[in-house]
Amino acid sequence: MIVLASDHAGFPLKEEIKVFLDGKGVEYIDCGTDSTASVDYAKFAQTACLKVTGGEADKAILCCGTGIGISMAANKVKGIRAAVCTNEFMAEMTRRHNNANIIALGGRIIDEPTAVKLADIFLNTEFEGDRHTKRVDMITAIENGTFEL
Ligand code: RB5
Protein backbone atom coordinates (compact mmCIF):
# COMPACT_ATOMS: atom_id res chain seq x y z
CA MET A 1 0.00 0.00 0.00
CA ILE A 2 1.17 3.50 -0.87
CA VAL A 3 0.22 6.72 0.88
CA LEU A 4 -0.05 10.05 -0.88
CA ALA A 5 -0.30 13.50 0.66
CA SER A 6 0.33 17.07 -0.38
CA ASP A 7 -0.33 20.67 0.46
CA HIS A 8 -1.96 23.05 -2.02
CA ALA A 9 1.27 23.63 -3.96
CA GLY A 10 1.85 19.91 -4.39
CA PHE A 11 -1.78 19.06 -5.10
CA PRO A 12 -1.48 18.99 -8.93
CA LEU A 13 1.45 16.55 -8.74
CA LYS A 14 -0.41 14.33 -6.29
CA GLU A 15 -3.44 14.16 -8.55
CA GLU A 16 -1.32 13.27 -11.57
CA ILE A 17 0.47 10.55 -9.62
CA LYS A 18 -2.93 9.15 -8.62
CA VAL A 19 -3.91 8.90 -12.30
CA PHE A 20 -0.68 6.99 -12.92
CA LEU A 21 -1.25 4.62 -9.97
CA ASP A 22 -4.85 4.04 -11.01
CA GLY A 23 -3.62 3.06 -14.48
CA LYS A 24 -1.20 0.57 -12.95
CA GLY A 25 -3.76 -0.81 -10.52
CA VAL A 26 -1.63 0.21 -7.55
CA GLU A 27 -3.60 0.72 -4.34
CA TYR A 28 -3.07 3.93 -2.39
CA ILE A 29 -4.46 5.97 0.45
CA ASP A 30 -4.92 9.67 -0.30
CA CYS A 31 -4.42 11.70 2.86
CA GLY A 32 -5.27 14.99 1.11
CA THR A 33 -5.26 17.86 0.55
CA ASP A 34 -8.24 17.98 -1.78
CA SER A 35 -7.74 21.25 -3.63
CA THR A 36 -5.35 24.12 -4.31
CA ALA A 37 -6.74 26.06 -1.34
CA SER A 38 -3.91 27.01 1.01
CA VAL A 39 -3.14 24.50 3.78
CA ASP A 40 -0.18 23.68 6.05
CA TYR A 41 2.08 20.89 4.78
CA ALA A 42 3.19 19.61 8.23
CA LYS A 43 -0.26 18.29 9.03
CA PHE A 44 -0.39 16.25 5.81
CA ALA A 45 3.15 15.00 6.30
CA GLN A 46 2.32 13.77 9.78
CA THR A 47 -0.87 12.03 8.70
CA ALA A 48 0.88 10.18 5.86
CA CYS A 49 3.98 9.30 7.89
CA LEU A 50 1.97 7.70 10.67
CA LYS A 51 0.42 5.37 8.12
CA VAL A 52 3.91 4.26 7.10
CA THR A 53 5.32 3.89 10.60
CA GLY A 54 2.09 2.24 11.74
CA GLY A 55 2.44 -0.42 9.07
CA GLU A 56 -0.63 0.51 7.05
CA ALA A 57 1.58 1.40 4.10
CA ASP A 58 5.12 0.65 2.93
CA LYS A 59 5.96 3.94 1.31
CA ALA A 60 4.62 7.45 0.85
CA ILE A 61 4.78 10.09 -1.83
CA LEU A 62 4.56 13.63 -0.46
CA CYS A 63 4.28 16.80 -2.51
CA CYS A 64 4.54 20.47 -1.60
CA GLY A 65 5.87 23.51 -3.44
CA THR A 66 9.53 22.56 -3.24
CA GLY A 67 9.36 19.16 -1.57
CA ILE A 68 11.50 20.65 1.19
CA GLY A 69 9.01 21.64 3.89
CA ILE A 70 7.01 18.46 3.68
CA SER A 71 10.19 16.35 3.76
CA MET A 72 11.50 18.27 6.78
CA ALA A 73 8.25 17.61 8.60
CA ALA A 74 8.27 13.94 7.54
CA ASN A 75 11.83 13.40 8.73
CA LYS A 76 10.82 14.44 12.24
CA VAL A 77 8.69 11.31 12.49
CA LYS A 78 10.60 8.38 13.95
CA GLY A 79 11.23 5.70 11.37
CA ILE A 80 10.83 7.97 8.37
CA ARG A 81 13.54 8.51 5.78
CA ALA A 82 12.16 11.10 3.37
CA ALA A 83 14.15 12.28 0.36
CA VAL A 84 13.49 15.30 -1.80
CA CYS A 85 14.16 14.25 -5.37
CA THR A 86 14.30 16.38 -8.47
CA ASN A 87 15.66 13.89 -11.00
CA GLU A 88 15.62 10.21 -11.87
CA PHE A 89 19.06 9.47 -10.46
CA MET A 90 18.09 10.83 -7.04
CA ALA A 91 14.87 8.81 -7.01
CA GLU A 92 16.76 5.63 -7.85
CA MET A 93 19.65 6.16 -5.48
CA THR A 94 17.57 7.11 -2.47
CA ARG A 95 15.99 3.68 -2.72
CA ARG A 96 19.16 1.74 -3.57
CA HIS A 97 21.42 3.40 -0.99
CA ASN A 98 19.24 5.18 1.60
CA ASN A 99 16.25 2.84 1.74
CA ALA A 100 14.05 5.94 1.72
CA ASN A 101 10.47 5.18 2.60
CA ILE A 102 9.23 8.54 1.41
CA ILE A 103 9.87 10.57 -1.71
CA ALA A 104 9.12 14.27 -1.56
CA LEU A 105 8.42 16.18 -4.76
CA GLY A 106 8.06 19.87 -5.49
CA GLY A 107 5.15 21.12 -7.57
CA ARG A 108 6.98 24.40 -8.17
CA ILE A 109 10.18 22.60 -9.12
CA ILE A 110 9.32 19.71 -11.42
CA ASP A 111 6.55 19.18 -13.95
CA GLU A 112 3.88 16.50 -13.68
CA PRO A 113 5.39 13.96 -16.11
CA THR A 114 8.68 14.17 -14.21
CA ALA A 115 6.88 13.67 -10.90
CA VAL A 116 5.17 10.56 -12.24
CA LYS A 117 8.48 9.20 -13.54
CA LEU A 118 10.23 9.80 -10.20
CA ALA A 119 7.36 8.22 -8.29
CA ASP A 120 7.51 5.18 -10.58
CA ILE A 121 11.26 4.77 -10.06
CA PHE A 122 10.91 5.27 -6.32
CA LEU A 123 8.19 2.63 -6.03
CA ASN A 124 9.99 0.08 -8.18
CA THR A 125 13.59 0.26 -7.00
CA GLU A 126 14.87 -2.04 -4.26
CA PHE A 127 17.27 -1.22 -1.43
CA GLU A 128 20.69 -2.76 -2.12
CA GLY A 129 21.41 -3.59 1.51
CA ASP A 130 25.00 -4.75 1.98
CA ARG A 131 27.29 -1.86 3.06
CA HIS A 132 24.36 0.55 2.90
CA THR A 133 22.52 -1.27 5.69
CA LYS A 134 25.17 -0.19 8.19
CA ARG A 135 24.87 3.43 7.04
CA VAL A 136 21.10 3.50 7.24
CA ASP A 137 21.37 1.89 10.68
CA MET A 138 23.59 4.81 11.70
CA ILE A 139 20.84 7.23 10.69
CA THR A 140 18.44 5.27 12.86
CA ALA A 141 20.94 5.37 15.73
CA ILE A 142 21.12 9.17 15.46
CA GLU A 143 17.32 9.24 15.59
CA ASN A 144 17.38 7.06 18.72
CA GLY A 145 20.18 9.01 20.38
CA THR A 146 22.37 5.90 20.47
CA PHE A 147 24.91 6.77 17.78
CA GLU A 148 28.46 6.54 19.03
CA LEU A 149 31.26 8.43 17.28
C1 RB5 B 1 3.61 26.84 0.28
O1 RB5 B 1 3.53 28.13 -0.20
C2 RB5 B 1 5.05 26.38 0.30
O2 RB5 B 1 5.76 27.08 1.25
C3 RB5 B 1 5.13 24.89 0.56
O3 RB5 B 1 4.41 24.22 -0.41
C4 RB5 B 1 6.50 24.27 0.51
O4 RB5 B 1 7.16 24.61 -0.68
C5 RB5 B 1 7.35 24.46 1.69
O5 RB5 B 1 8.49 23.95 1.75
Side-chain angles (χ1 to χ4, degrees):
M1 182 65 76
I2 307 303
V3 183
L4 301 177
S6 75
D7 72 356
H8 53 289
F11 176 73
L13 294 191
K14 175 169 72 69
E15 295 307 295
E16 205 55 37
I17 292 166
K18 281 166 60 180
V19 171
F20 169 74
L21 295 177
D22 286 339
K24 294 275 183 196
V26 176
E27 281 192 307
Y28 58 82
I29 302 165
D30 183 356
C31 294
T33 189
D34 302 325
S35 75
T36 54
S38 183
V39 291
D40 302 319
Y41 53 79
K43 171 182 153 189
F44 294 91
Q46 156 106 338
T47 303
C49 286
L50 292 181
K51 294 204 181 296
V52 174
T53 58
E56 216 176 312
D58 310 310
K59 294 189 184 111
I61 300 169
L62 303 181
C63 309
C64 69
T66 57
I68 296 171
I70 206 159
S71 69
M72 286 179 155
N75 277 316
K76 296 296 180 190
V77 178
K78 202 172 167 67
I80 292 299
R81 289 177 302 281
V84 183
C85 296
T86 57
N87 63 44
E88 294 182 21
F89 184 70
M90 294 169 80
E92 180 184 340
M93 296 312 289
T94 201
R95 285 292 310 134
R96 286 176 54 188
H97 285 192
N98 312 130
N99 201 15
N101 48 14
I102 293 191
I103 189 169
L105 304 169
R108 295 172 180 160
I109 307 292
I110 59 174
D111 61 19
E112 290 160 17
T114 303
V116 167
K117 183 71 189 161
L118 301 194
D120 188 21
I121 292 169
F122 174 75
L123 294 177
N124 292 295
T125 303
E126 295 301 318
F127 178 48
E128 279 179 18
D130 195 31
R131 68 188 185 281
H132 303 293
T133 301
K134 174 182 75 175
R135 295 167 183 165
V136 172
D137 286 348
M138 287 176 175
I139 297 173
T140 304
I142 292 172
E143 183 174 76
N144 292 333
T146 57
F147 188 81
E148 288 177 19
L149 294 175

